[in-house]
Each structure stands twice: as structure tokens, then as C-alpha cells.
Amino acid sequence: MLSLPFVWSDDCLRHEPEAEIWVGTRTPATEVPARAVAIRGSLLAAGAREVAATAHDDSALLAVHDPALVEFLHSAWEEWSAASLPSDRVVPYVFARPELTGGRESATPAAVWARPGLFAYDTMTLIGPGTWEAARAAVDVALTAVDLVAGGEPLAYACCRPPGHHVTHSLYGGSCYLNNAAIAATALLDKVGGPVAIVDIDAHHGNGTQELFLGRGDVLTASVHVDPGAGWFPHFLGFASENDEGNLNLPLASGARDVAWLAAVQRAAQFATRANALVVALGVDAAAGDPESPIEVTPAGYREAGRILGDLGLPTVVVQEGGYDLTTIGPLVVETLTGFAR
Ligand SMILES: [Zn+2]
């Protein structure tokens, strides 16, 4: 039985992207509300204690993200839906690349349909009714878990949805809108003291988190993920060549199994030993059978990863990132937390 608290908000279910635009094609969304429902069911069945998320002000959110991004996400659906556009979701068609304006700040476009290009870096992260409410609720979920840990809980799990680790200071993408793990780390820095480590074991590189904290020293970032050089999102970064004192990328070959993956998790844990508190960005999409990645971790592997990270003995907030197989996502989260809490 799991005795830890997990934080939940019904509002995290309000985001229903329905689709992604991938290589120009509308494909069914995989980041669906049923993911969070499945996790909650497994946690309750395992005996974890549900704690309702409480409202938090924007201070930790705005310490991480550009106010212009936050304002855009807040108003995007309302503006889009009022403009009677042919798409039923906010989607960019043109991108404000800095080279387009010689590095000068881009103008704010008059056209509502051009505005997403200021803040989106892909076409697969759609905004619809409820997207803002869910993304903002996920921040409250993460911050409530921080409060529990700051109040003395050794471990709290934040059932965040949508996920967040692909979001930078001012750009959203990768099915993510606000960087829940980064916001949790910033709040932990304030409440528990640093340095704080973020260990990201989602199958994909935590590119947003890396870029937010690169060169800072007070938040250490480590990410275990499938090699972007093998053709995987986020494609442009996540390589070992980006490593420095405060950032550790551990890219793995497609097809990596427990032994290689756990060795990387162990290295990430070793990197985090100098931290005062820990955020685990827990994606369970590295599992064998997950449709979104070629890494082949078993449930026992997830349990062992939990044990390795739990052995650090740090106050820890576990934030949910990816995981797209609805039949195994809940059990895999439970496996990881069971290893942790052992
Ligand atoms: Zn992922």
C-alpha cells in the first residue's frame, strides 16, 4: 500500500485537445484527460491519499514564464473562437523566428490567427476551450505538492495534466503549456532552499526545463531520454554536448532496456546528490509498449528508478509528465512511487 499524498484537481481534465497537427496532418490526440483519470484510479486503489489542489497566486508561475506567454495562453481561446476561424483549435500557421526580424523583438500581429506564432514552437500543441483552465490548475497541483513537502511530507505526487517539461520561458510546445516541474522547483527553492535538482525521466528530453535553468546553478537539471539524434522530439536539443556543471543530458539509443535506462537514472541521481530538494519529472512513456517512444522499460524498471531516486533521501515532489498507454499509465506511476516510498 502507498501511504503518500497525491494532489488532484478536476480542472486538469478540462483540456481536450482532440487532435495534433503532425507533419501537416490532423491526427488523434494522445495527451487526453483519460490519462489523469487512469492515474488517479490506480493511486486510490493503491491506498494513496488524495489531496485537493489549492489556489495559488501567480508569483511562482511568473518567476518562470514570460508574462506575455501567460497572458496569451489565458486569452488565446477566447480571441480565437471570437474570430470565427476554420480551425476549432488555436494552431499557428506562421512562426516569429528571431532571424525573421534580425533578432529585434517581433511586432504583436494584428491578426488573431498570427498571434500563436509568437509563442508556439510546433503545430501539435493545440489550444481549445478549457486548455488554460487545465494548464493553470496543473500549476496549482504542483504548488500544492510543494506546500505538502515544505510542510514536512517527505514525498508528494502532483497529478499534473497537461504536462509541462517542453515549455521554455516564453514558448509552448510538445503538448505542454506551462512548465509545472520548473514552477515546482522554483517554489521549492523559495520554501526549502537550494540547490534544487530536477531529474526528468520522461522518455523525451526536458528541453524547456533545461533552457529555463541553464547556467543558473541554483536549479540543477538532469534528463534521461531517447537520443534526439535518432530522430526523436525535441529534435533540436537534448544532446550530451549541452552538459555543464548544472545540466546533465543522458541520451539513450532507441530500444534501450532496463539495464541501460537504470544506469542513466543512477547517474542522474548521483548528479542530484548535492541538491537540497528534488523534483522528479515523471514520464512513464519510456515504458515498453508506450506508443510515443522506443525505450523499453519494464514495470520493475520503474520501481527500481523510484528506489534509486528515493534513496537520495531528499524532500521530493514528483510531477507527472508523459505516458500515453491508458492501460499501463496508472500502474507504472504506482510502481515508481512504490519504489520511492519503500
Ligand atoms: Zn515524453
Side-chain angles (χ1 to χ4, degrees):
M1 294 292 277
L2 275 178
S3 63
L4 74 146
F6 78 92
V7 185
W8 175 263
S9 169
D10 286 341
D11 284 342
C12 287
L13 306 179
R14 293 175 66 179
H15 167 56
E16 300 202 29
E18 308 223 324
E20 303 172 355
I21 309 298
W22 186 73
V23 295
T25 302
R26 191 177 172 104
T27 60
T30 53
E31 203 293 283
V32 293
R35 299 176 57 248
V37 173
I39 293 170
R40 182 197 205 184
S42 292
L43 287 169
L44 288 173
R49 175 165 48 91
E50 182 171 313
V51 175
T54 55
H56 288 70
D57 68 25
D58 285 344
S59 53
L61 170 62
L62 293 175
V64 167
H65 290 303
D66 183 346
L69 169 65
V70 173
E71 178 47 35
F72 170 75
L73 293 171
H74 185 197
S75 60
W77 171 247
E78 202 176 328
E79 290 188 355
W80 187 272
S81 54
S84 302
L85 293 161
S87 170
D88 67 351
R89 292 292 183 275
V90 178
V91 59
Y93 88 100
V94 62
F95 293 90
R97 293 283 305 269
E99 296 84 352
L100 198 63
T101 49
R104 300 182 306 280
E105 196 177 337
S106 298
T108 299
V112 166
W113 48 97
R115 283 198 70 201
L118 284 174
F119 302 103
Y121 67 82
D122 66 33
T123 60
M124 63 181 191
T125 310
L126 306 183
I127 296 173
T131 298
W132 163 255
E133 288 77 6
R136 187 61 184 78
V139 170
D140 281 332
V141 168
L143 291 173
T144 304
V146 169
D147 292 342
L148 289 167
V149 167
E153 290 284 353
L155 171 65
Y157 170 80
C159 195
C160 293
R161 177 192 176 264
H165 70 150
H166 294 307
V167 186
T168 71
H169 176 65
S170 55
L171 296 177
Y172 71 96
S175 301
C176 302
Y177 304 87
L178 297 169
N179 197 320
N180 307 307
I183 292 164
T186 301
L188 275 173
L189 202 55
D190 186 40
K191 289 175 183 264
V192 178
V196 174
I198 303 175
V199 174
D200 187 325
I201 60 170
D202 185 276
H204 305 95
H205 178 233
N207 61 299
T209 311
Q210 169 180 299
E211 292 305 302
L212 277 161
F213 298 113
L214 213 53
R216 267 184 44 171
D218 55 353
V219 179
L220 313 169
T221 51
S223 180
V224 177
H225 51 265
V226 62
D227 184 0
W232 292 89
F233 191 91
H235 301 288
F236 306 109
L237 71 178
F239 300 95
S241 58
E242 294 148 23
N243 292 351
D244 66 17
E245 243 174 61
N247 183 57
L248 178 66
N249 284 332
L250 297 161
L252 296 171
S254 295
R257 293 173 184 274
D258 284 6
V259 171
W261 187 74
L262 287 168
V265 172
Q266 186 75 60
R267 280 187 64 196
Q270 180 65 33
F271 180 78
T273 51
R274 60 192 151 121
N276 198 38
L278 177 66
V279 174
V280 177
L282 174 62
V284 293
D285 47 1
D290 190 282
E292 298 291 328
S293 102
I295 299 186
E296 305 279 335
V297 179
T298 66
Y302 271 98
R303 185 180 287 227
E304 179 63 7
R307 189 196 61 76
I308 290 168
L309 293 166
D311 277 355
L312 287 168
L314 296 170
T316 300
V317 173
V318 177
V319 172
Q320 187 63 40
E321 299 287 359
Y324 303 96
D325 178 26
L326 295 175
T327 59
T328 58
I329 185 171
L332 287 165
V333 169
V334 168
E335 286 291 345
T336 311
L337 294 174
T338 300
F340 222 106
R342 195 177 64 117

